[in-house]
Amino acid sequence: MATGFTEALDARKKRKIVWLSRLFFGLLLLLTLSSNTLLTLNLPKVRTEQGREGALVTTWRGTARLMPRQHIELSNKAEWSIKKVHVKEGDRVAKGQTLITYENPAAVQEILDVQAGLAGQKLSLADLQDDYIEAIQNYDEMQVRRTKRELERAQLAIGVQERKLSTMKSEENDRRSIIAPFDGVVTQVHATPQLPSGSGGPDIRVANSQQGYQFEMVIPDAFGRKLRTGENMHVQIDHEEKSIPVEGIIIDIRPITGVDGGAFRQEGAEESVSQPTSGQRVIVKVQHPNVQANERVSVELTQSEKFDGGMLVSNQAIRQEGKNSYVLVIEVRSGPLGNTFIARKAPVRLGGTNGQETLVLQGIHVKDQIIVESSEPLANGQRVRV
């Protein structure tokens, strides 16, 4: 009996030792992971980017003024009398805005007469419906058929009158006013209250913004020769102290010589140079609901020269060491507790710059993660947090 008790005690000690061993290794693993996490959180934080194929960019800028492409004359087709003119010359109008209202008492009275007749027909229809119900209740089959036919004829007549009334109301509503069919500017007003429409010529004349505006400018040959009619041109229009981007369409290009070529400069340069040169006189159509005549248009054209094997990198990523240039790239190292990220110095050979990006000719690869910003100064071989 004593032997059995001793064996049981030994087995309990062994289980306790196993449990304590597992607890110890678990705590050791937890402490290791926690210390690695805390270490990672204390590492410098960096922002990275990848290089991309790039080119040096040259920019030309020019300005012009918008002019309307079309005017439209509007009058009341039925020559109703003018009741009120709501706009004046020079007013800017929006699509759907009322320009002139008209009146015709005879047309209004005719609609009232048709409405009264329709109401009488509906009362007669109600009487026929009562007769139909009475015939059914009296089991008078002949009267039922006769009354049913009369009901159908009455319903057809009412339908005709309803359609006629709807058409009359629609025409009266259309003729009651002239509304702006588009955004534009009132250029002339001939309408006079109490006189018939068209007494002094077209009631109103509006510059049609929906047909768009146009501007004309001379562009240097270096840029103008690459333009084609029908192509889009991105422009900026100064409207109410705001710059509105609009896509214009080139409708005409003509060569011209001995004119100011506009502002020509390389991106990143501090000054622009304007000089006489040969160029192309370009006419561009623009269309936008919020622009109007005589507003200032700005055009910016760019051209690029690409270098094989070169990549564009943000200027922030370029670092200097004496006369030499380098970038810091991320080197990923695998370990039992996960990947670690190391900042590695990569010497580079540079091309040009446009003030925001620099062309790197040699020293980095397309898939390299290049450090652009860091929370603190970095050294070669230093661990970082991406």
Side-chain angles (χ1 to χ4, degrees):
M1 184 175 180
T3 301
F5 177 78
T6 301
E7 291 177 352
L9 185 61
D10 290 341
R12 189 180 306 148
K13 289 180 179 179
K14 289 179 180 180
R15 287 197 299 272
K16 188 174 182 180
I17 291 171
V18 171
W19 183 82
L20 288 174
S21 299
R22 290 176 178 175
L23 179 62
F24 172 76
F25 285 111
L27 288 174
L28 183 62
L29 179 60
L30 179 61
L31 290 173
T32 302
L33 293 175
S34 299
S35 62
N36 187 66
T37 301
L38 290 174
L39 177 61
T40 301
L41 291 176
N42 290 326
L43 292 175
K45 186 178 180 180
V46 299
R47 180 173 68 86
T48 65
E49 68 174 26
Q50 287 183 320
R52 62 183 181 84
E53 292 186 0
L56 293 178
V57 178
T58 305
T59 300
W60 175 88
R61 292 186 178 91
T63 59
R65 293 285 175 178
L66 281 181
M67 296 298 294
R69 288 177 49 80
Q70 182 184 20
H71 289 78
I72 290 184
E73 298 174 343
L74 302 170
S75 295
N76 186 284
K77 296 180 180 178
E79 298 183 357
W80 285 15
S81 295
I82 297 164
K83 183 177 181 181
K84 185 177 181 180
V85 180
H86 299 271
V87 294
K88 61 183 182 299
E89 291 183 6
D91 283 355
R92 181 175 174 80
V93 295
K95 182 179 180 180
Q97 179 178 338
T98 300
L99 306 178
I100 302 174
T101 52
Y102 301 86
E103 59 184 357
N104 187 340
V108 174
Q109 185 60 48
E110 185 179 1
I111 290 176
L112 292 176
D113 292 343
V114 174
Q115 285 178 327
L118 182 60
Q121 288 179 310
K122 289 183 177 180
L123 290 175
S124 299
L125 180 65
D127 291 338
L128 289 173
Q129 289 173 337
D130 292 341
D131 293 343
Y132 181 72
I133 293 173
E134 184 178 356
I136 292 176
Q137 291 175 345
N138 294 333
Y139 300 101
D140 188 342
E141 185 177 351
M142 183 66 68
Q143 183 65 22
V144 168
R145 291 199 299 270
R146 185 182 301 111
T147 306
K148 185 177 181 180
R149 288 193 296 270
E150 291 177 356
L151 275 172
E152 291 175 351
R153 281 194 292 268
Q155 289 171 341
L156 289 173
I158 288 174
V160 171
Q161 286 297 96
E162 286 177 338
R163 290 190 294 274
K164 179 181 178 181
L165 181 61
S166 176
T167 300
M168 292 176 66
K169 285 183 175 180
S170 177
E171 291 178 350
E172 191 269 342
N173 184 66
D174 291 341
R175 295 169 180 172
R176 187 184 302 160
S177 63
I178 284 181
I179 62 173
F182 43 72
D183 293 341
V185 178
V186 177
T187 58
Q188 286 183 347
V189 177
H190 295 296
T192 303
Q194 308 307 318
L195 292 180
S197 173
S199 299
D203 290 345
I204 194 167
R205 196 172 187 226
V206 183
N208 187 353
S209 298
Q210 283 191 339
Q211 291 296 324
Y213 295 84
Q214 69 181 35
F215 65 89
E216 181 180 308
M217 63 171 48
V218 178
I219 299 176
D221 277 339
F223 294 86
R225 284 197 300 264
K226 297 180 180 180
L227 301 177
R228 297 291 182 271
T229 55
E231 290 181 344
N232 289 346
M233 177 182 286
H234 179 75
V235 303
Q236 296 283 337
I237 300 177
D238 295 339
H239 174 74
E240 296 181 354
E241 299 182 356
K242 295 181 180 179
S243 182
I244 301 177
V246 180
E247 285 294 328
I249 300 176
I250 300 173
I251 59 175
D252 188 41
I253 302 176
R254 300 175 187 175
I256 191 171
T257 58
V259 295
D260 188 347
F264 177 82
R265 73 179 183 90
Q266 181 172 322
E267 279 296 310
E270 296 181 357
E271 298 181 355
S272 300
V273 177
S274 182
Q275 58 184 1
T277 181
S278 60
Q280 306 290 321
R281 186 180 298 277
V282 179
I283 299 177
V284 181
K285 179 179 75 172
V286 297
Q287 188 170 347
H288 193 278
N290 295 330
V291 302
Q292 56 188 341
N294 206 40
E295 291 184 327
R296 183 173 180 269
V297 184
S298 300
V299 175
E300 179 176 295
L301 302 178
T302 61
Q303 61 182 12
S304 59
E305 183 179 358
K306 191 172 183 180
F307 292 85
D308 293 337
M311 287 186 293
L312 283 178
V313 175
S314 296
N315 281 3
Q316 295 169 282
I318 306 299
R319 303 164 190 264
Q320 297 295 135
E321 189 175 51
K323 295 182 179 181
N324 298 321
S325 302
Y326 69 95
V327 296
L328 292 174
V329 297
I330 296 296
E331 179 181 329
V332 182
R333 297 179 182 176
S334 301
L337 299 179
N339 294 335
T340 58
F341 303 97
I342 308 298
R344 179 176 60 81
K345 182 187 295 186
V348 293
R349 184 166 64 90
L350 304 180
T353 179
N354 63 9
Q356 296 179 341
E357 294 178 309
T358 297
L359 183 64
V360 178
L361 303 178
Q362 189 177 11
I364 57 173
H365 304 284
V366 175
K367 295 183 179 180
D368 284 344
Q369 293 294 328
I370 303 165
I371 296 175
V372 179
E373 293 179 340
S374 61
S375 59
E376 61 184 70
L378 301 177
N380 186 36
Q382 184 175 355
R383 282 189 62 185
V384 295
R385 177 163 58 101
V386 179

